[in-house]
Amino acid sequence: MDIPSIKHVRDHLIAKPGEPFSLAERPTRDDAIFANKDDAATSLKKDAAVINELKDMLYAHKKQSVLVVLQGMDTAGKSGTIRGVFADTTPLGMEVKAFKAPSANELARDYLWRVHNAVPKKGNVGIFDRSHYEDVLVVKVRGWASPKEIEHRYDQINAFEKHLTQNGVIIVKCMLNVGHEEQGVRLAERLVEPHKLWKFNPGDLDDRKDWTKFMAAYETAIERCSTEHAPWYVIPSDSRTRRNAMIARLVRGALEDLNLEWPNPGYKPDDFDIG
């Protein structure tokens, strides 16, 4: 098979910064990049191995970090993406943060405080399962902040992400675009499969009822916050295998862009006698 180039994947999935964006025009199921699941699985396996090696180089240098933001509706596959894309990745140098409802301590501070504290340190790959975008998504839909506050947050998020990128953090933002029908199928699976039952949250059904509002909130967030320094990629997510393969291409690309090599320790191996 011919594995699609990283540039092709980026160009196909990006929400172009500064341009109008319509989420309704983005498919939730798409075989334009991977014609079949076997091709996607092969690409994913190869990328997962390379990601592991590049992650080790990143860890050895400790000069920059990579932050993968996974945002999507319930069942879109955030945890499944982490398992698939990083299947071959050793834990050393990895950080995963799942953002839940903020604690009382977090609510007593500005909304980005807990996010900044979770940004991966230099040398590490960090993954956000949900993120600071919850504060312009669920907070907006539920009316937990005023429209004026929400409006300010788009610019604040852009400034925050620019600050991170100017300080050595490479950001890969992926919106996992799952269809309404497919979400229904996956929620039903959680009720009948014992290993998935623990994931079911009755509150997810409330979000499902507000699907249209959430899609509008996502559309605005992506259009307002897809920037040159941290663009959004919209991932068709009805196919789990294709979803993982596409995101693996993006993560590998972010690491390859750093042109990593094993660092020179400053001495020659021949200078030492192990004995």
Side-chain angles (χ1 to χ4, degrees):
M1 63 161 288
D2 292 328
I3 294 177
S5 71
I6 291 168
K7 181 181 185 305
H8 175 66
V9 175
R10 285 171 170 167
D11 290 346
H12 188 73
L13 300 175
I14 194 170
K16 293 182 179 179
E19 296 188 10
F21 173 76
S22 172
L23 185 57
E25 293 177 1
R26 296 298 182 105
T28 60
R29 185 178 298 274
D30 187 2
D31 60 2
I33 295 178
F34 294 104
N36 58 70
K37 289 186 178 181
D38 288 341
D39 289 349
T42 299
S43 177
L44 175 61
K45 184 175 180 62
K46 291 180 178 179
D47 282 346
V50 174
I51 288 169
N52 181 50
E53 182 177 9
L54 293 174
K55 184 271 300 179
D56 286 346
M57 289 182 180
L58 182 75
Y59 184 79
H61 276 280
K62 289 183 169 56
K63 293 181 178 179
Q64 294 170 292
S65 61
V66 173
L67 172 61
V68 181
V69 175
L70 301 177
Q71 194 71 50
M73 295 292 285
D74 299 300
T75 79
K78 295 176 289 294
S79 59
T81 296
I82 296 170
R83 286 195 303 271
V85 174
F86 298 95
D88 292 341
T89 308
T90 55
L92 190 65
M94 293 294 300
E95 302 179 35
V96 180
K97 173 65 176 180
F99 285 95
K100 305 297 184 182
S103 66
N105 182 46
E106 291 167 341
L107 285 171
R109 306 171 188 270
D110 74 271
Y111 71 98
L112 287 172
W113 178 81
R114 66 171 184 161
V115 182
H116 207 161
N117 278 343
V119 171
K121 62 184 180 182
K122 291 180 180 179
N124 287 10
V125 172
I127 307 166
F128 282 0
D129 179 340
R130 301 187 188 275
S131 68
H132 42 300
Y133 282 93
E134 291 294 289
D135 289 283
V136 290
L137 293 170
V138 66
V139 172
K140 181 178 183 178
V141 172
R142 295 283 174 258
W144 294 337
S146 70
K148 183 177 180 180
E149 287 179 281
I150 297 295
E151 184 62 27
H152 287 319
R153 289 180 180 184
Y154 300 114
D155 289 337
Q156 291 165 356
I157 286 172
N158 288 339
F160 171 65
E161 292 177 348
K162 188 169 186 177
H163 169 77
L164 294 183
T165 59
Q166 290 176 335
N167 285 273
V169 182
I170 311 303
I171 304 175
V172 182
K173 299 189 301 194
C174 298
M175 186 271 183
L176 279 54
N177 190 22
V178 67
H180 185 266
E181 182 178 352
E182 178 65 19
Q183 190 205 41
V185 171
R186 294 180 184 181
L187 286 172
E189 286 176 352
R190 291 183 177 182
L191 289 173
V192 298
E193 298 184 19
H195 68 288
K196 293 182 178 180
L197 182 57
W198 67 274
K199 291 184 177 182
F200 185 80
N201 179 358
D204 295 346
L205 300 181
D206 293 331
D207 289 351
R208 183 167 169 79
K209 293 175 183 176
D210 285 327
W211 185 271
T212 301
K213 293 181 180 178
F214 271 102
M215 292 302 101
Y218 268 103
E219 183 172 274
T220 301
I222 292 169
E223 181 172 329
R224 296 284 297 276
C225 299
S226 190
T227 59
E228 295 292 344
H229 55 273
W232 270 107
Y233 296 96
V234 181
I235 317 296
S237 296
D238 283 2
S239 168
R240 295 177 173 94
T241 306
R242 290 184 178 90
R243 174 200 68 206
N244 292 352
M246 285 183 260
I247 295 175
R249 294 261 76 195
L250 296 174
V251 174
R252 176 175 174 172
L255 288 164
E256 288 185 340
D257 286 347
L258 297 176
N259 296 313
L260 295 164
E261 296 179 354
W262 293 111
N264 185 341
Y267 51 76
K268 297 178 180 179
D270 294 343
D271 293 340
F272 300 91
D273 181 7
I274 303 299

